[in-house]
Structures are given as C-alpha cells and as structure tokens.
Amino acid sequence: MRTNDILEKLVGFPSVVGTPNGDVIDWISSYLSSFGINAYVFAGPEGDRANLFATIGPADRPGYILSGHMDVVPATETGWSSDPFTLRADGENLYGRGTSDMKGFLAAALAAVPALVAAPFARPIHLAFSYDEEAGCRGVPHLLARLPDLCAPPLGAIIGEPSGMRAILAHKGKAAARVLVKGRSGHSSRPDLGLNAIHAITEVLQAAVTAAAELTNGPFESEFEPPYSSISIGTIHGGQAVNVIPDVCTLDIEARAISSAEPQALLAPVKAAAEALAARGFEVDWQLLSAYPSLLLASTSPLAALLEHLTGIKPLAAVSYGTEAGLYQQAGIDAIICGPGDIARAHRPNEFIQASELAACQAMIEALGLTCRLEPEMGTEQ
Ligand SMILES: [Zn+2]
C-alpha cells in the first residue's frame, strides 16, 4: 500500500483521545499480519482501548523502537474546510485530523514494512503504538510495563512526533492536578454559619502564584524557552450566586519542569497549601490528572549520532511541547524525537502533512532498516 493510502485509512478511524480504539488497532494488526508480523495488542485498564506492539527481526536482540500514538485530539474546532476524518489531498498537502500529530508517522512506518521485512535483520525494529497520549501520556506506561517480556532491552526509541524530521534531544516534563475544596453552603448573610470554599481556595491560588514567581529566578537550563520551570493555573470553577456561600471550588493547575526538576515536586507547595485547609474544616481532594517526566538525551549519545546520520541534520537541543519520550527515558531506554510535519499544524483546523514529508520519514525508517540488516557472511558464495 502507498503511504498516502495508509494515511487515508488511519485518518478515517476517528480514534479521538479518551474513546475506544479497537477499529484502528484491528486494521493495523491485519495490515501487519499480511506481512507475517504478529501484533501484540494489550488492553489498558479502561478495557476498551489498547496499545499495539510488533517486532520485525529478532526480538531477543537489542534493537530500535518506532513509537507513535494512535489517538488524536477531537476535531470540534471551527474552521475545517472539509471532513477532518476524511483525508483530502490538495496538491502536496494532505489534510485531516492527525495527519501531522501523528498518524503521518504511523503511515510512514507501516509503509516501510515491506522494505523492512525484505532482508534478515541482525537487530530488530519494533513498532510501539499507544493510546490516549493526548490525555497526558496515559496509555504508554502500560506498554512500557510489558516491554521486558516482549523484547531485549532496546538500544533506543524514536518518538515520531512532528519535528520536521529533525531530531530533538530534550523536552520539559509536566504534571497536571485538580484541586477540589469543599466547605459548607448557606445564605451569604450568615457567613458565620458556612465555610466559603472560594475564600479558602485563594490561599491555594496564592501559593501557586508565589511558587510560579520564584521559579522565574531559576534554576535555568538555557536550551528551553522559557529557560526555567513554570506553574500555571488553567481553570477555576466555583459558586452559584452572589447571595449563596459557595461550598465547592475547583482549580486545574500544571507545572512544566526543566530536566533537572521533577514536575510533581514543583507542585508540592501548592498541595501543602490545599492540605492545610483541612485543619479548618474543609474537605480537600488533590487529583493528579497526568504526569510525564522531561526528556534529556546527551548530544554525545549513540542514538543522537544515529539520528544525525539518518537525517543528515544536527539534532535540535530542545522543544517546549511534551512527548512520550520522557517516559521511555524513565524506563531506561534512550529516546529521541523525530517525525514528519510541523507541531504548529497540530491541534488546529485544516491540520495537514505534505506527501514529501511522509516520503522523507519513510526514507529515514528504511535507512534505519539498512543499519539493522544482517551483513552477509564473507566467502559463503562462490
Ligand atoms: Zn502527538
């Protein structure tokens, strides 16, 4: 199948984050089995969605992982010129939800399979396709937990997030949490009888704002923009009417961590301020929504050198968006980002990828395949 046709198939499955993904899994599994490749499908704890893992070559030797996520963000934004789940070609541009982020990479990897299976491999190439990455990398930890049973410890993982086919060595880590403070409602004329949750949560807000301001003083890592860790309050909800004491208030907050910082630890002063409210009769709930660690691959690592060789371009030091790469690194596997398309086109109407970008990615994967081939033994042929 041509890459464009594979992409058309993948885009046609509306595998929106947080929803079942059996259809796209089934299609990929049967595509792989037509080349004699067995895909392992592992349902996550949700039960209705799964990760997929497949190996080309000897699984008991260290090899390389091609990592991508099968889920896409919803296509509910206005401004789409055509159905987001029907691939539309217009010249070089192929429009559809997930074309850049990141079914384009999946299509290029699947289109490379015929070339990869053509010669015996000394080192394997694995396909590791995850679910619910867009919900804060929720799916891939379940795949990583199974990895030791599936293959020898890999030499590296290539995370195919859109990077213009330039390898990227680092990204920030992230933790997101929801804070719920519950007090006691009542008529606002008798504040002495209630517990005002909005008044109380201002102490949590203040702790967050103070911590955020302190982080701008460093520590610094100059490859990131901004070069320091950050904290941001994203939403706040509470109250019913001006004459009712609000009993519940919630806020969503996130921390973005440079590689020397731990994302959840950045939120510790905020969590402490929330928990302190319990002593005054409030119920406090702190729910971690998602978390993934930062990525930092040494520029001198063999994986960085390999990607420079495969792409012909020096790796970029860092990007500000997060990926599954940090979780691979945390699992003890060197990881690097390199994929087709542009992150600026992701999560927007009329998301697209160019046919030439897909071709460049497929060429990179086939070139990786060449480095994994079994060298024919000298002198066996007369
Ligand atoms: Zn993505």
Side-chain angles (χ1 to χ4, degrees):
M1 263 179 107
R2 290 166 55 240
T3 322
N4 291 18
D5 298 331
I6 296 173
L7 183 59
E8 182 173 25
K9 266 291 179 196
L10 296 178
V11 167
F13 296 108
S15 52
V16 172
V17 58
T19 65
N21 69 351
D23 292 349
V24 68
I25 289 255
D26 286 349
W27 188 84
I28 294 171
S29 299
S30 72
Y31 173 86
L32 290 171
S33 81
S34 72
F35 297 98
I37 301 163
N38 177 38
Y40 295 90
V41 175
F42 304 110
E46 301 84 356
D48 60 0
R49 61 204 80 167
N51 293 303
L52 180 148
F53 186 85
T55 297
I56 303 161
D60 59 344
R61 306 271 193 82
Y64 296 99
I65 290 178
L66 301 176
S67 152
H69 59 83
M70 295 175 285
D71 59 306
V72 295
V73 290
T76 45
E77 56 305 37
T78 53
W80 280 92
S81 317
S82 56
D83 176 11
F85 297 108
T86 304
L87 192 73
R88 177 173 65 89
D90 186 357
E92 258 284 277
N93 292 358
L94 304 167
Y95 293 91
R97 170 55 81 222
T99 46
S100 268
D101 186 13
M102 56 183 290
K103 289 177 169 173
F105 178 79
L106 303 185
L110 294 172
V113 165
L116 298 180
V117 296
F121 271 1
R123 280 191 293 278
I125 291 180
H126 311 283
L127 305 178
F129 296 170
S130 66
Y131 70 91
D132 285 2
E133 188 271 352
E134 297 288 4
C137 302
R138 285 203 196 168
V140 77
H142 307 294
L143 192 157
L144 288 169
R146 303 293 290 268
L147 217 51
D149 305 328
L150 296 168
C151 61
L155 298 168
I158 299 169
I159 284 69
E161 289 282 350
S163 73
M165 290 311 295
R166 183 177 182 186
I168 295 165
L169 302 173
H171 66 65
K172 285 186 178 180
K174 179 186 165 183
R178 176 164 298 158
V179 191
L180 180 146
V181 172
K182 190 160 186 272
R184 190 167 56 246
S185 194
H187 197 282
S188 57
S189 63
R190 290 301 307 271
D192 51 314
L193 298 178
L195 280 171
N196 189 313
I198 293 179
H199 287 199
I201 215 163
T202 59
E203 294 172 30
V204 184
L205 294 169
Q206 191 54 55
V209 171
T210 302
E214 281 170 2
L215 287 172
T216 64
N217 298 322
F220 299 106
E221 289 177 14
S222 59
E223 60 268 37
F224 293 111
E225 284 185 332
Y228 45 82
S229 300
S230 60
I231 287 176
S232 177
I233 302 159
T235 67
I236 178 161
H237 296 287
Q240 298 95 336
V242 71
N243 58 354
V244 178
I245 298 169
D247 57 341
V248 177
C249 190
T250 61
L251 60 92
D252 285 1
I253 183 166
E254 68 159 37
R256 304 252 175 186
I258 57 175
S259 52
S260 59
E262 206 279 305
Q264 287 191 57
L266 295 173
L267 293 176
V270 186
K271 193 177 182 196
E275 283 167 352
L277 297 172
R280 305 216 304 268
F282 291 93
E283 266 177 56
V284 178
D285 183 56
W286 178 275
Q287 185 194 355
L288 186 68
L289 298 175
S290 68
Y292 57 79
S294 62
L295 168 71
L296 183 61
L297 183 71
S299 59
T300 52
S301 74
L303 186 61
L306 173 65
L307 268 287
E308 182 170 346
H309 165 72
L310 293 175
T311 61
I313 320 169
K314 262 211 163 327
L316 186 69
V319 287
S320 39
Y321 63 88
T323 78
E324 294 177 339
L327 288 161
Y328 275 92
Q329 177 182 267
Q330 190 177 57
I333 302 165
D334 278 357
I336 198 163
I337 304 163
C338 188
D342 187 336
I343 194 72
R345 300 177 202 149
H347 303 202
R348 301 187 54 162
N350 299 324
E351 179 180 351
F352 70 97
I353 199 157
Q354 298 190 312
S356 59
E357 295 169 333
L358 292 178
C361 182
Q362 189 176 335
M364 184 273 280
I365 292 168
E366 291 179 5
L368 174 69
L370 291 180
T371 72
C372 293
R373 279 193 180 182
L374 198 61
E375 294 300 329
E377 277 181 46
M378 300 299 282
T380 52
E381 278 175 86
Q382 294 294 325

